[in-house]
Amino acid sequence: MPRSFFSRDTCSVAQALLGCKLVRVLDGARLSGIIVETEAYIGEEDLACHARAGRTPRTEVMYGIAGYSYVYFTYGMHWLLNVITEGEGFPAAVLIRALEPKEGLDVMRERRGFQAGNLLCSGPARLTQALGIAAEENALDLCSKSSGLWIEGGPAIPDDLVFRGPRVGLGRTPEPWHSIPWRYLIQGSPFVSKIPSQAKKIDASHHLTRG
DNA sequence: AGCACGATTAACT
DNA sequence: GTTAATCGTGCTC
């Protein structure tokens, strides 16, 4: 996708990424999957966003150019993939949380330990393991195929098929950030990481504005 | 220099 | 339902 796709409001990007195809070239093999679940992390005020700590060596890429990758290490063993959004100088990103595998499933199964079912790419750390995404894939330009990692367009997902809910795994993150519905997924997809117990209506009080 | 914790997962009871 | 695995990061002393 062109840079302009990522250089806009993070929630719009998070929703628009649903249905797009994430492509990875690994050792000459093409691996891909349809993005079915994302989350938005927006600015220093969002206490769930790593940029809450301001500019640090780790968060520097979040302040950079939209369309670049932000890959970070967590829980002592997992790598998670984000795409930077909005304008240069404003730290925001979309976390890719789940894919519906499309190409290179044999390679993915091998990398994942031949696990069965829909668990190949259904989770932010599962998909990075399946696609071979780690430290070396941080700060790559996903608008360029030379990075070996990019995003292709897909059919737009109708609004009534998009579920919004609270982000996952936020632990002790305080309100309103804990409950703000910045998680997006394709309703009914068996490839999402966790199926929400119920569709949560979008609460106007959670619709925060910023200058 | 030391510490608490994490945008998770797999394997348990 | 619970918990171990495992270490970079940012914060406090």
Side-chain angles (χ1 to χ4, degrees):
Chain A
M1 303 297 282
R3 184 119 19 235
S4 58
F5 179 88
F6 303 102
S7 307
R8 50 182 173 138
D9 166 71
T10 305
C11 287
S12 298
V13 178
Q15 179 162 349
L17 278 171
L18 299 177
C20 291
K21 179 182 279 187
L22 179 67
V23 183
R24 167 74 166 148
V25 173
L26 187 65
D27 299 326
R30 180 177 156 118
L31 318 177
S32 76
I34 303 299
I35 298 171
V36 298
E37 180 180 347
T38 61
E39 283 177 0
Y41 290 84
I42 310 174
E44 295 177 352
E45 293 183 2
D46 176 2
L47 294 183
C49 179
H50 289 164
R52 66 183 178 273
R55 271 191 197 253
T56 67
R58 180 169 72 155
T59 62
E60 186 62 31
V61 66
M62 295 190 79
Y63 291 80
I65 302 169
Y68 275 68
S69 62
Y70 167 45
V71 177
Y72 73 91
F73 184 64
T74 191
Y75 292 104
M77 65 191 83
H78 298 306
W79 298 94
L80 274 61
L81 170 68
N82 300 252
V83 190
I84 301 306
T85 58
E86 310 220 18
E88 207 171 342
F90 185 84
V94 172
L95 171 69
I96 311 296
R97 285 194 57 90
L99 306 175
E100 175 178 345
K102 283 296 180 184
E103 298 169 87
L105 273 70
D106 288 345
V107 173
M108 294 183 195
R109 285 193 196 95
E110 190 172 355
R111 296 189 53 83
R112 288 274 301 134
F114 298 95
Q115 290 194 6
N118 295 335
L119 299 176
L120 270 188
C121 297
S122 296
R126 290 180 180 141
L127 73 89
T128 56
Q129 183 183 20
L131 299 185
I133 295 169
E136 292 183 356
E137 283 67 45
N138 186 41
L140 295 181
D141 185 4
L142 304 190
C143 297
S144 164
K145 290 189 176 182
S146 63
S147 63
L149 185 65
W150 67 89
I151 294 170
E152 299 179 353
I157 307 299
D159 280 356
D160 58 0
L161 288 185
V162 176
F163 171 86
R164 286 184 78 184
R167 293 172 291 183
V168 174
L170 265 45
R172 345 166 81 121
T173 300
E175 300 292 358
W177 311 111
H178 197 280
S179 299
I180 195 169
W182 283 352
R183 178 189 186 205
Y184 296 80
L185 57 85
I186 300 180
Q187 208 154 22
S189 170
F191 297 95
V192 299
S193 65
K194 297 175 182 178
I195 298 173
S197 55
Q198 55 179 324
K200 178 175 179 174
K201 290 180 181 174
I202 297 172
D203 185 337
S205 70
H206 286 150
H207 191 305
L208 304 189
T209 57
R210 56 187 165 79

